[in-house]
């Protein structure tokens, strides 16, 4: 019997080496969610405006669109395919792509191969005319001219090996592929050096050429692959530049990127896109755009954002719209009680009149009355019914005119409670940015906002703060561990780097705090390339509490040079007692000593990412291998 696929096509299975031996072509088919996000954005534009946008049509999406390249060059590329990570935002800020070819090169440079071969800096320097174009040898000018003498693509490695050894391109490609095998590299090097010297190349030229060729064994891109990636990169940036509301609706619905949804909302606000709250009469299962005022489109939050809601519940709510009252919603949409309560907590039932705490009470009574009716009807097989008449389970609720829910006299949820509910239920601070509550305190401390940081000089020591949105610990050329962290303070993003000499003082706090205050030094590598090298870190939530109990003087003492994680030296405690997040002294010179006298590794108390966050949910991205 011939095996078949899910679509009933005949299929078989081979490993990749056997496929090639059979003479078949091997293709890697990628499922890229950005394609779905862009398709949703285009569909929303058509639904809401009637405009048919074809992002594959060069007449509608021209290659050299100035607004698109201004957006990319600004490094405000959050949500754009391939160029939204901190490293890529830094790279596009330094590179300043102005053509599609520049995008292709950018995507190819941001790979372990070019980074290991130190190709990024020379390319950017030559690209902007700050350094002359240099070729490893004049013979290589032909294949390397388009990339300013820098090897970027696999095709250039093939031509380079062919030119210098005379082996032919087919053999050169086999050599390139063999570089990924550490056992083969030694044999390839001997072969390469022998042939290149036979052809008259100087030893220093051969050594530099081999260094470049060997580095590409780490992993680089063929040009065709990079072009295929650059197409959705450009298209996503074009959508963000020209149809931002639809772009964010697509991102929020399909979540294709590395950052949490709450950061996408913050980015939308910064770009002037209104965020419209959840509403059981207006929200759909997916995010949609709505006209807010003349020419201004907003994004309406989706029902499926509610924690714990099922697809069937969201579909029932959408199918039953509009609802005339809380009772009407309860009866026809038939949500589960936990989902209904979460909807009330985040304001999705506000249109029914009562405040949110009153609505929670009414929902509790509706649920209790429903159970009574079900028991009277002979068990839970009975439906919700209409609730009208002598046995109706909604009769005890005080309704005004049958539509608006009358107040029960309970106090409404406060601002802090509403924000906490949004973070817990939606994973997003939908009504306002969570850092807004801390702006006055940060002003007292002299912290610099992300927006003002762009005007800060290189080398200046600053205090920055925000909600953590990403932590990454990727491999780097030096082999040392660097913690890259991104903070969001509502005015923009702050990219931080903590090098290994700061880890003793900062690592635990960075990994296990959500709101952070960081002291560091501004580092600039170009007009749009800016980061902060962190030297000290504090849990901002703890400092806020300290401000309430001990005043600003107590906070200043905690931030002093000899206090806890405020010390970048991280000297060990003389007493040997445990120091860390629970000791109130920060985490510089951490020691974990048990009552038995045994001393543990300073990081033995690392917890899973997200544990201890007030909302109970992890609201930031962490790369594989990152402790938090």
């Amino acid at each position: 019997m011939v095996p078949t696929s899910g679509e009933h096509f005949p299929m078989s299975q081979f490993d990749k080496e056997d496929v090639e031996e059979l003479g078949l072509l091997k293709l890697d088919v990628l499922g890229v969610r950005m394609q779905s996000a862009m398709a949703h954005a285009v569909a929303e534009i058509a639904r809401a405006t009637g405009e048919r946008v074809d992002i594959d049509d060069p007449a509608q999406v021209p290659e050299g669109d100035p607004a698109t390249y201004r957006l990319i060059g600004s490094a405000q590329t959050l949500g754009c395919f391939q160029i939204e990570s901190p490293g890529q935002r830094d790279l596009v800020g330094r590179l300043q792509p102005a053509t599609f070819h520049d995008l292709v090169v950018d995507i190819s440079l941001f790979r372990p191969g070019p980074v290991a071969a130190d190709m990024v800096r020379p390319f950017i320097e030559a690209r902007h005319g700050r350094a002359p174009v240099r070729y490893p040898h004049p013979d290589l000018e032909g294949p390397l001219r388009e990339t300013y003498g820098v090897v970027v693509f696999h095709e250039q490695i093939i031509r380079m090996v062919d030119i210098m050894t005379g082996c032919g391109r087919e053999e050169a490609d086999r050599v390139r592929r063999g570089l990924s095998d550490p056992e083969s590299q030694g044999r390839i090097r001997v072969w390469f050096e022998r042939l290149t010297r036979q052809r008259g190349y100087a030893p220093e030229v051969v050594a530099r050429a081999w260094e470049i060729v060997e580095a590409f064994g780490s992993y680089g891109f063929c040009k065709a692959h990079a072009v295929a990636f650059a197409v959705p990169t450009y298209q996503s940036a074009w959508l963000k530049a020209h149809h931002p509301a639809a772009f964010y609706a697509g991102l929020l619905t399909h979540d294709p990127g590395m950052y949490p949804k709450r950061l996408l909302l913050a980015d939308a606000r910064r770009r002037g896109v209104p965020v419209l709250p959840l509403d059981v009469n207006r929200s759909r299962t997916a995010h949609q755009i709505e006209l807010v005022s003349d020419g201004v489109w907003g994004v309406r939050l989706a029902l499926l954002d509610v924690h714990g809601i099922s697809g069937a519940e969201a579909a029932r709510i959408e199918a039953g719209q509009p609802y005339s009252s809380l009772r009407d919603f309860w009866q026809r949409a038939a949500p589960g009680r936990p989902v209904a309560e979460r909807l009330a907590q985040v304001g999705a039932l506000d249109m029914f009149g009562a405040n949110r705490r009153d609505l929670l009470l009414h929902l509790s009574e509706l649920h209790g009355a429903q159970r009574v009716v079900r028991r009277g009807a002979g068990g839970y097989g009975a439906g919700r019914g209409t609730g009208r008449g002598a046995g109706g389970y909604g009769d005890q609720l005080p309704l005004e005119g049958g539509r608006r829910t009358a107040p029960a006299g309970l106090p409404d949820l406060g601002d802090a409670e509403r924000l906490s509910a949004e973070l817990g239920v939606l994973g997003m601070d939908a009504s306002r940015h969570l850092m807004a509550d801390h702006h006055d305190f940060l002003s007292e401390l002299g912290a610099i906002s992300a927006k003002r940081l762009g005007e800060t000089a290189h080398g200046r020591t600053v205090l920055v703060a925000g909600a953590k949105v990403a932590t990454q610990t990727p491999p780097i050329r030096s082999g040392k561990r660097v913690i890259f962290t991104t903070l969001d303070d509502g005015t923009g993003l702050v990219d931080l780097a903590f090098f290994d000499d700061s880890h003793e003082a900062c690592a635990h706090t960075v990994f296990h705090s959500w709101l952070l205050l960081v002291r560091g030094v501004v580092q600039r590598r170009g007009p749009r390339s800016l980061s902060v090298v962190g030297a000290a870190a504090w849990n901002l939530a703890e400092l806020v509490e300290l401000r309430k109990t001990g005043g600003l003087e107590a906070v200043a003492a905690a931030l002093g040079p000899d206090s806890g994680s405020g010390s970048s030296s991280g000297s060990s405690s003389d007493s040997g007692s445990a120091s860390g997040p629970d000791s109130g002294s920060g985490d510089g010179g951490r020691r974990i000593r048990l009552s038995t006298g045994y001393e543990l590794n300073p990081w033995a108390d690392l917890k899973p990412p997200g544990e201890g966050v007030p909302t109970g949910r992890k609201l930031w991205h962490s790369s594989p291998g990152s402790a938090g």
Side-chain angles (χ1 to χ4, degrees):
M1 181 177 178
V2 178
T4 60
S5 69
E7 300 294 327
H8 305 293
F9 292 109
M11 64 177 290
S12 188
Q13 183 174 326
F14 299 89
D15 62 60
K16 62 180 181 179
E17 283 77 18
D18 288 345
V19 165
E20 185 170 349
E21 291 297 324
L22 289 169
L24 300 176
L25 180 65
K26 180 179 74 72
L27 296 175
D28 292 337
V29 181
L30 305 179
V32 178
R33 288 199 304 267
M34 177 55 75
Q35 299 284 15
S36 298
M38 292 193 295
H40 184 85
V42 169
E44 274 301 285
I45 295 168
R47 180 195 63 81
T49 69
E51 180 185 356
R52 304 290 175 179
V53 174
D54 182 358
I55 57 176
D56 294 316
D57 181 0
Q60 294 191 53
V61 185
E63 185 277 320
D65 180 62
T68 301
Y69 284 111
R70 279 197 301 271
L71 171 70
I72 295 172
S74 72
Q76 303 298 314
T77 52
L78 196 71
C80 296
F81 186 61
Q82 288 285 302
I83 54 173
E84 70 167 350
S85 70
Q88 265 289 18
R89 285 187 281 107
D90 176 77
L91 181 55
V92 296
R94 294 161 62 197
L95 180 59
Q96 292 292 296
T99 66
F100 184 76
H101 178 262
D102 290 342
L103 276 184
V104 174
V105 171
D106 171 89
I107 289 169
S108 301
L109 281 173
F110 201 71
R111 289 294 177 271
V115 171
D118 191 23
M119 293 296 162
V120 178
R121 180 186 51 79
F123 179 90
I124 291 174
E125 293 295 308
R127 162 82 164 72
H128 294 298
R130 295 192 290 263
V133 176
R134 293 187 176 93
Y135 300 101
H137 189 274
D139 291 353
L140 301 177
E141 180 177 353
L144 301 183
R145 186 183 300 112
E146 67 171 337
T147 53
Y148 302 96
V150 173
V151 179
V152 175
F153 307 116
H154 276 167
E155 291 88 342
Q156 292 173 313
I157 288 289
I158 294 170
R159 293 186 64 188
M160 187 174 172
V161 171
D162 174 33
I163 290 170
M164 295 188 71
T165 66
C167 67
R169 293 192 184 184
E170 183 178 0
E171 179 64 22
D173 188 38
R174 279 196 287 268
V175 168
R176 178 195 63 80
R177 296 168 65 184
L179 292 171
S180 61
D181 180 10
E183 295 182 0
S184 300
Q185 283 191 3
R187 295 192 299 271
I188 293 173
R189 179 172 187 171
V190 171
W191 171 87
F192 181 81
E193 290 178 345
R194 176 173 56 83
L195 290 184
T196 52
R197 287 177 180 173
Q198 286 177 2
R199 293 171 66 87
Y201 290 101
E204 61 273 16
V205 172
V206 173
R208 175 56 183 154
W210 172 253
E211 180 184 347
I212 295 169
V213 169
E214 183 183 37
F216 265 75
S218 302
Y219 184 56
F221 256 7
C222 69
K223 188 174 183 180
H225 194 166
V227 169
F229 272 39
V231 170
T233 298
Y234 182 80
Q235 291 172 335
S236 61
W238 184 89
L239 282 169
K240 183 171 185 178
H242 294 277
H243 299 278
F247 173 74
Y248 288 113
L251 292 180
L252 291 164
T253 297
H254 292 281
D255 197 16
M258 62 174 283
Y259 293 110
K261 287 186 176 182
R262 62 157 303 274
L263 184 59
L264 297 177
L265 288 193
D267 194 56
R269 292 190 193 100
R270 286 194 291 271
R271 295 190 63 81
V273 177
V275 176
L276 307 177
L278 202 67
D279 184 329
V280 294
N281 275 339
R282 302 184 71 89
S283 294
R284 304 292 189 260
T285 55
H287 295 82
Q288 292 192 327
I289 61 174
E290 293 182 19
L291 188 62
V292 177
S293 60
D294 187 26
V296 177
W297 293 87
V299 180
R300 176 69 67 179
L301 297 184
L303 294 167
L304 284 175
D305 283 331
V306 175
H307 180 63
I309 195 171
S310 68
E313 283 178 302
R316 279 201 308 272
I317 294 172
E318 181 177 339
Q321 294 169 345
Y323 301 99
S324 60
S325 66
L326 181 64
R327 180 192 296 173
D328 181 38
F329 168 72
W330 177 260
Q331 291 168 356
R332 292 196 296 112
R337 180 181 176 182
V339 167
E341 290 178 340
R342 290 173 191 144
L343 289 167
Q345 288 174 327
V346 297
L349 307 180
D350 283 358
M351 75 295 302
F352 297 139
N355 71 45
R356 297 182 188 182
R357 195 168 267 118
D358 285 345
L359 286 168
L360 290 170
L361 176 61
H362 286 302
L363 287 170
S364 176
E365 296 231 359
L366 280 169
H367 177 71
Q370 173 192 326
R371 296 180 64 187
V372 171
V373 170
R374 282 178 169 170
R375 284 198 297 269
Y380 282 88
R384 294 196 177 201
T386 65
R388 296 182 176 88
Y393 56 77
D395 288 347
Q396 79 278 23
L397 291 173
L399 302 177
E400 299 176 1
R403 292 183 177 275
R404 294 183 62 81
T405 304
L410 295 176
D412 199 358
L413 298 181
D415 289 343
E417 291 173 305
R418 291 187 178 210
L419 182 62
S420 178
E422 290 172 359
L423 292 171
V425 173
L426 303 175
M428 298 179 278
D429 36 349
S431 59
R432 61 192 175 90
H433 198 280
L434 62 91
M435 288 298 294
D437 293 342
H438 306 305
H439 284 170
D440 291 343
F441 176 51
L442 294 174
S443 295
E444 290 180 323
L445 298 179
I448 301 290
S449 69
K451 187 175 182 179
R452 289 176 53 209
L453 194 63
E455 305 164 0
T456 306
H458 174 81
R460 180 180 169 186
T461 299
V462 294
L463 277 176
V464 293
K468 184 171 65 178
V469 295
T471 58
Q472 296 175 290
T473 52
I476 59 172
R477 288 185 65 212
S478 68
K480 296 181 179 180
R481 192 181 193 217
V482 180
I483 303 169
F484 295 100
T485 303
T486 302
L487 304 182
D488 162 39
D489 70 355
T491 70
L493 300 181
V494 179
D495 292 319
L496 299 150
F498 294 91
F499 294 97
D500 59 351
D501 60 353
S502 70
H503 290 183
E504 187 176 3
C506 302
H508 192 279
T509 301
V510 171
F511 283 141
H512 288 94
S513 304
W514 181 33
L515 303 183
L516 286 167
L517 177 71
V518 176
R519 178 185 292 140
V521 177
V522 174
Q523 182 183 68
R524 286 186 174 276
R525 294 194 291 176
R528 299 286 185 177
S529 171
L530 184 148
S531 60
V532 174
V533 178
W538 297 268
N539 184 327
L540 180 60
E542 293 179 357
L543 294 178
V544 169
E545 290 303 312
L546 183 61
R547 173 71 173 85
K548 294 177 182 177
T549 58
L552 196 58
E553 295 78 9
V555 176
L559 301 184
D562 299 321
S563 175
S565 64
S567 171
S568 60
S569 62
S571 57
S572 298
S573 168
D574 293 334
S575 66
S577 60
S579 66
D582 297 327
S583 69
S585 62
D587 55 3
R590 309 183 83 248
R591 286 184 179 179
I592 302 176
R593 181 170 292 172
L594 304 180
S595 58
T596 57
Y598 286 103
E599 188 167 307
L600 302 180
N601 182 285
W603 313 116
D605 59 346
L606 286 177
K607 304 171 186 175
E611 209 170 279
V613 176
T615 63
R617 300 178 67 179
K618 179 172 174 284
L619 300 175
W620 62 89
H621 163 83
S622 56
S623 63
S626 174

